[in-house]
Amino acid sequence: MAKRKIAVIGDPGSVMIFNAIGLDVFYETEAEKIEARIHKLADGGYAVIYITENMAQLVPQVIDYYTTATFPAIIPIPSSTGSLGIGMKKLRENVEKAVGADILFKEG
């Protein structure tokens, strides 16, 4: 069985630290380059692609394209400037779609 790889995409200040734990890091900050990188990583057998939320905002169509694919899972993460709430919103939508109700953030 082939070993699946994990990548991280974002600005250097936000994702450089992921090198220390052995993930493949790609410094991309322009929409066209981010989109091309995601397609290349998907074709290259990456199982998970973490992308900073501010970079994910630049390429919503390509992220949506892979939403129904088995691989790669594209997961928005906060950047060094903080969270935009995109990752939590996606998590909420996916749980609601799978379960049929908002069980994570339901009040009361």
Side-chain angles (χ1 to χ4, degrees), residues 81-96:
T81 59
S83 177
L84 301 174
I86 295 170
M88 289 304 288
K89 180 181 178 219
K90 287 285 188 193
L91 175 63
R92 181 182 201 163
E93 290 171 357
N94 287 334
V95 169
E96 194 167 343

Side-chain angles (χ1 to χ4, degrees), residues 38-52:
I38 290 172
H39 289 306
K40 187 173 182 178
L41 293 171
D43 292 343
Y46 280 78
V48 177
I49 301 172
Y50 292 105
I51 182 170
T52 59

Side-chain angles (χ1 to χ4, degrees), residues 7-43:
V8 185
I9 299 173
D11 63 278
S14 297
V15 300
M16 186 183 310
I17 191 69
F18 290 97
N19 271 326
I21 59 172
L23 302 183
D24 296 335
V25 175
F26 300 93
Y27 307 124
E28 304 289 359
T29 57
E30 298 173 23
E32 290 177 5
K33 291 182 179 182
I34 295 168
E35 185 173 336
R37 176 66 66 190
I38 290 172
H39 289 306
K40 187 173 182 178
L41 293 171
D43 292 343

